[in-house]
Amino acid sequence: MPVEAVAGAVAATGEDTAAEAALAPKARLFPSLAAVYRAQLSRARVARIPLLFVATFQSVGIMILMRGVVDGGSEARAVVAGSSVLVVAFVALNLLAQYFGQLRASGGLDHYATLPVPPSSVVLGAAAAYASFTVPGTFVTAVVGSVLFGLPLTHLWILIAVIPLSGAALAGLGAALGLLAPRPELATLLGQLGMSAALLLGVLPADGMPVLLQYARDLLPSTYGVEAFAGTFDSSPDWAAVALDLGVCAGVGVISLAAATWAYRKASVR
């Protein structure tokens, strides 16, 4: 066979292969995100539901203890709002840090690395699945706290925005801590410390804190969700301030999830 014919056949084969490769569908973000979300939700359902009850009882117990110290006013609003968001912190921050720390230590990241899914879909899917478990516990805590402190139940619908925005910010932080920790024990420790910070800085009224702790509170991602929720207990809520707090919480959530995606890329190539 002439050399020209062989070269032509090879070129044609290469063009066909390139055409086939060009026609191959790429993994898109949202379908991959939905697949990871469903997989994580089914895997975590049995193991995480008992822990969700623990998170809810913990927040309710904190409010009962604070009832003997706080009578009402802005302090009561801060306690109820902070305790409600604490349920989100327990699951989205603490448990997600443990999950990604164990996933990295066990080589589970290698499994996800072989799948044709964007890294952001893995982080977002796991974060969304864990945050989904906080919805009933957060509403139960908010209702119990409102009744306990005599606060109105009129605007509890704001939790529909507070839960996903606070959950995104805290879940991104938890995922980043778990992925960057060199050992799973350290990831667990960091998750516990983060939840303790959410407890101390989010539940306790900010007015009585030292100035240094007030600055630290402003750096906590869940603070703005707490402030937004607490603001709705007023007789005439300042909706502009509530929207501003939710907007800041959303911005922090985007940054937090972007940091978690970067940490996932860094951990998966080691």
Side-chain angles (χ1 to χ4, degrees), residues 174-187:
L177 292 175
L179 289 166
L180 294 176
R183 301 182 60 183
E185 295 83 5
L186 184 57

Side-chain angles (χ1 to χ4, degrees), residues 88 131 134-136 138-139 158-168:
V88 182
T134 67
V135 174
T138 304
F139 272 98
I158 197 66
L159 289 174
I160 299 175
V162 170
I163 292 174
L165 294 179
S166 299

Side-chain angles (χ1 to χ4, degrees), residues 4-5 21 28 36 38 54 63 76 82 98 130 158 190 194 201 207 214 222 229 241 247 270:
E4 292 80 1
R28 292 174 296 175
V36 174
R38 289 193 300 267
V54 172
M63 290 190 300
Q98 296 181 33
Y130 274 70
I158 197 66
L190 293 175
L201 301 178
D207 296 337
Q214 291 183 13
S222 59
F229 184 28
R270 288 182 177 179

Side-chain angles (χ1 to χ4, degrees), residues 11 25 37 46 48 94 111 153 159 167 179 207 222 224 229 233:
Y37 174 78
V46 176
R48 301 309 177 191
N94 184 25
H111 166 71
L153 301 171
L159 289 174
L179 289 166
D207 296 337
S222 59
Y224 303 97
F229 184 28
F233 287 122

